Each structure stands twice: as C-alpha cells, then as structure tokens.
Amino acid sequence: PRLRPTILVVDTSASCFGPVDTLVRAAALAAAHALLAAELPAYVVAAGGETRTWALQTRADAVEILAERSPRAAQPKKALARAMGLAEVVRDGVLEPLVLVFSHPWFAAEEDTLLLPRCLRGLFVMYPRHPATPALAPRCETWRALRSDDHEGLAEALVELLG
C-alpha cells in the first residue's frame, strides 16, 4: 500500500480488555511498525483515560501501544478531536493524513455530536459471539470488522486500511 502520514487512535480503555484488546493492540502495533519503516510522520492517541498522545518516532514509541492502559472509559470525542488536530500537524500537502481507529464496534456509539477527520478509517474487533456493525462505519471512508480470533485476516485488513 501507499502509506501516508497517519494518526493511530487506539482504544486503551477497560471496554477493550480481554480478547478484543489482544487483536486491537496487535493491529495498532503492526500499523505503527509499517509507518516507522516508511519513515512517515505519525502519532498515537490513546483513547482511554486521559487520552494520552505521543509522536511515533522510534520502536520504543510503538511498544507504548502495548503498555498504555486505562481502567476508565474511552473518550471518543476527545480522542478524535485530538486526532483531527494532529492530522493538521502532519499534513504534507499532497496526501490527506489518515486517522485510523482501533477499537470495538461500539466505540463512539454514545456520542451525539462528533467532529470527524476527513480520512477516517477504522479497524473494529468484535467481542466473541457479538457481531455488530461499528457505530462509526457510516462515517468512515473505509473500515473493517474482525472477530477477536481472526489473526489471519488482520494483515489483509491492515493493507486495505493503510493503503
């Protein structure tokens, strides 16, 4: 895929703990490594708790995706607003930066009003035995929903979403 500057919004809240968390973090880490290898500007927005944000410049920054956790609820409105601001920072003039959300299908379902970036994409990991259409699906440029045990479908989904 032709990669471009990207903001990774990773749900690190308690609602992702368990089987969903495993695939959410594996996907975000793989995307982070691809962006690092391509030497593209990128940021991570952790959507749980305080909505921590950091630049993705080294492999150690990518590993933070695995370590960042919050027992508190995700704040989709705050996380997506922060991602929109960061997208302006990494804009290179040619390609619109991507904002790629990694979460469960109900991320942002309770938000009435939401300002969203233009190039919003999402990878949504479903809870076991609970298939669902992601709440953000109608607002995403493209999205994929995977079962929490669909490790083989992950590579194909990332190629589609990052390209």
Side-chain angles (χ1 to χ4, degrees), residues 73-90:
Q75 297 183 43
K77 185 180 273 189
K78 183 177 178 183
L80 291 168
R82 190 163 292 168
M84 279 179 50
L86 290 168
E88 293 302 317
V89 170
V90 300

Side-chain angles (χ1 to χ4, degrees), residues 3-40:
L3 299 175
R4 56 178 127 170
T6 303
I7 313 304
L8 306 176
V9 178
V10 184
D11 189 344
T12 58
S13 71
S15 61
C16 267
F17 289 3
V20 169
D21 179 64
T22 302
L23 199 58
V24 161
R25 290 175 191 271
L29 184 64
H33 284 300
L35 293 163
L36 284 168
E39 298 181 353
L40 287 167

Side-chain angles (χ1 to χ4, degrees), residues 28-87:
L29 184 64
H33 284 300
L35 293 163
L36 284 168
E39 298 181 353
L40 287 167
Y43 283 86
V44 178
V45 177
E50 298 300 315
T51 313
R52 185 171 157 249
T53 303
W54 64 95
L56 188 58
Q57 298 174 320
T58 67
R59 290 189 181 274
D61 297 327
V63 170
E64 284 294 311
I65 292 168
L66 300 176
E68 185 69 22
R69 294 189 187 279
S70 175
R72 296 186 15 220
Q75 297 183 43
K77 185 180 273 189
K78 183 177 178 183
L80 291 168
R82 190 163 292 168
M84 279 179 50
L86 290 168

Side-chain angles (χ1 to χ4, degrees), residues 15 119 152:
S15 61
C119 292
E152 293 189 16

